[in-house]
Amino acid sequence: VLLAVDAASMARSFAALVKGFLDFDPDLRFCGVLANNVGSDRHLAYLQQAINGITDVPLLGATPRNAGVTIPDRHLGLYTADDHVLSDAAVDALADMAAARLDLDALVNRLPEAAPEVALYEPDEPEEPDTPDMPAAPAPDVRIGVARDAAFCFYYEDNLDVLRRNGCDIQFFSSMKDFAPPDVDGLYLGGGYPELFAAALSENVSMRESIFRLCASNMPVYAECGGFMYLCRKLVTADGRPYDMAGVFAFNVCMQQRLAALGYREIEFIRDTPLGPAGTTVRGHEFHYSHLAETDAPADVLPAYGATDKSGADRGCPGWLIHRCLGSYVHLHFKSRPAVGRGFAAACRKYKAEQEARHAAR
C-alpha cells in the first residue's frame, strides 16, 4: 500500500495519523507515504520532521495544493471520467507534478520487498483465478445491452467480467442518444445520474417505449439504482419537476436534498428472479438521494429481495420484479456470488431460444 494522507492544516498530527495506519493492520505492507494537499516546501519539511524516527516507511513526496487538478464532488460523490472533468492539459500537469514532487525511483524499488505474495479475498463462491493458463471464456452466444452514457455510468467492472466469462457479448448503448437498444437478448441498466439528465431521458420517447416493450416481452432485464429509477413511471427532480420515464414499474421516484440510504447490503432473493432462484444470496451496496413516492406496488409488481445491513438489521430495500425485469436501489456485486451472472446469462439464453422458436413457428 502507498498511503496517501490529506496533510492540509497538519504538522505533527500528520505523524500520529500515519503511525495509526501503519500499525492498525499487521498484515498490511506499506511501500511509502504520500502527503497530499501540501501548502509549501516548508510545510513538507514539517511533515518530514514529524515522522522522522517513528517508522522506516519513507515519505516519498508530496502533492501540492492545486485547484487546477482538483476533482469536484456532488451529491453522489465525485464527478466521473464520463464527465470529462480532467482535460488532457490537466492530466499532463498531474504527470509533471508526480515526476517533480515524488521519488518515483524509490517507490518502484520498494515494491518487491513491500509486496510479497498475499492471499487474495475469496468470495463465498470463488471463481477460477485470472491466470494466463486459465481456460478461455466461452465464445459469446448471447448479447447483453448495457446502457452506458452520462446518465448511466456506474457499473462494477467485475459484473461485466462475470457476464463475459459466462458467454455474454456486451453491447453498450446510450439511453439519451440512441433510438432504441441494440438487437440483444437481455438488458442491464446500471447506476448513475438520471436525475441530472431527466429531460433528455424523457425526451427520448422511442428509447423509453422500446425498453417498455422489451420488458413486456419477458426479456430478462436487470436494473439497479439509477437504472431502476429510469424504469419507474416518473422521476421528480429536486425542484419538483416531473419527467416521464419508461413506466415499467408503476412508481414515482422523487429526489430529495438529504441522503436516503447508504451502506453495504446482504440480499436474499425471496422468489425466482432473472439472476437466480429464490434463496440465492449476494452482496451489494445502496447509495441514493431519492425515494419511491408510492410504497404499495401494483398487483403485478412483486417484491423480490430480503435485505439486511452488516449488523444483520432489516433494511427494507426490496427489489421489485415484473415479468422478467428485476429492479432495485441496490448495486449487486456479482463476484460475491458469481452464480447470479451465470443465472442472468442462462435467462438470456432461454429468452433467445423462445424468440427463435416463436419466429420459426410463424
Side-chain angles (χ1 to χ4, degrees):
V1 175
L2 173 64
L3 178 64
V5 178
D6 186 350
S9 304
M10 283 190 180
R12 199 166 179 221
S13 56
F14 177 78
L17 184 59
V18 168
K19 185 169 176 57
F21 273 101
L22 298 184
D23 294 345
F24 181 73
D25 186 344
D27 291 333
L28 284 183
R29 301 287 189 100
F30 289 87
C31 58
V33 178
L34 165 67
N36 191 23
N37 270 331
V38 172
S40 64
D41 289 340
R42 177 174 292 184
H43 184 196
L44 177 58
Y46 290 153
L47 302 176
Q48 181 67 72
Q49 182 181 14
I51 67 168
N52 283 343
I54 72 161
T55 176
D56 60 355
V57 177
L59 180 62
L60 294 176
T63 52
R65 190 177 304 124
N66 184 346
V69 293
T70 297
I71 299 176
D73 58 12
R74 56 187 172 191
H75 62 285
L76 288 180
L78 292 176
Y79 283 79
T80 68
D82 298 89
D83 299 300
H84 305 295
V85 293
L86 289 181
S87 64
D88 290 343
V91 173
D92 289 342
L94 281 169
D96 292 341
M97 181 174 65
R101 307 286 301 198
L102 308 182
D103 190 342
L104 298 178
D105 290 337
L107 171 61
V108 172
N109 291 335
R110 283 186 58 83
L111 289 179
E113 65 179 82
E117 289 191 18
V118 295
L120 298 177
Y121 163 74
E122 293 290 347
D124 295 337
E125 185 182 343
E127 292 189 303
E128 296 171 329
D130 291 321
T131 60
D133 55 354
M134 179 179 180
D141 60 348
V142 288
R143 290 159 56 94
I144 308 295
V146 176
R148 194 164 210 172
D149 50 25
F152 304 110
C153 55
F154 182 86
Y155 292 89
Y156 291 130
E157 194 65 27
D158 281 346
N159 290 9
L160 303 180
D161 288 343
V162 169
L163 292 174
R164 292 186 182 105
R165 184 62 59 187
N166 285 282
C168 297
D169 177 18
I170 304 298
Q171 298 288 313
F172 295 112
F173 68 96
S174 172
S175 57
M176 294 184 288
K177 297 179 181 179
D178 292 334
F179 181 79
D183 182 16
V184 293
D185 309 302
L187 289 176
Y188 179 8
L189 309 178
Y193 299 91
E195 65 275 14
L196 300 182
F197 303 95
L201 292 170
S202 184
E203 289 166 2
N204 192 350
V205 177
S206 62
M207 177 63 72
R208 293 194 287 111
E209 292 181 345
S210 295
I211 289 180
F212 180 89
R213 288 193 296 269
L214 291 174
C215 291
S217 75
N218 275 326
M219 174 180 280
V221 176
Y222 171 58
E224 55 189 12
C225 204
F228 169 58
M229 295 164 63
Y230 176 65
L231 292 187
C232 289
R233 183 169 54 198
K234 290 184 183 293
L235 194 164
V236 182
T237 55
D239 59 3
R241 296 183 183 180
Y243 293 92
D244 290 333
M245 295 289 112
V248 177
F249 295 103
F251 299 117
N252 289 343
V253 177
C254 299
M255 296 301 301
Q256 59 188 43
Q257 296 295 333
R258 66 183 185 280
L259 184 66
L262 170 65
Y264 295 115
R265 303 290 180 251
E266 180 93 7
I267 300 299
E268 180 177 357
F269 299 161
I270 61 175
R271 64 181 72 250
D272 294 346
T273 78
L275 299 184
T280 301
T281 58
V282 59
R283 294 173 182 167
H285 187 254
E286 185 183 13
F287 183 21
H288 53 96
Y289 275 74
S290 66
H291 67 277
L292 300 182
E294 288 89 6
T295 57
D296 294 329
D300 56 350
V301 177
L302 303 173
Y305 287 177
T308 57
D309 61 19
K310 289 190 69 174
S311 70
D314 181 23
R315 293 304 304 179
C317 52
W320 299 104
L321 184 67
I322 182 171
H323 311 302
R324 290 180 190 160
C325 177
L326 177 65
S328 172
Y329 273 120
V330 179
H331 298 270
L332 296 181
H333 187 224
F334 288 6
K335 276 204 171 180
S336 71
R337 185 69 65 188
V340 300
R342 293 195 292 272
F344 191 61
C348 293
R349 290 189 186 96
K350 179 180 179 181
Y351 176 80
K352 180 181 179 181
E354 292 170 349
Q355 294 301 107
E356 290 174 346
R358 185 173 292 112
H359 289 308
R362 291 177 178 174

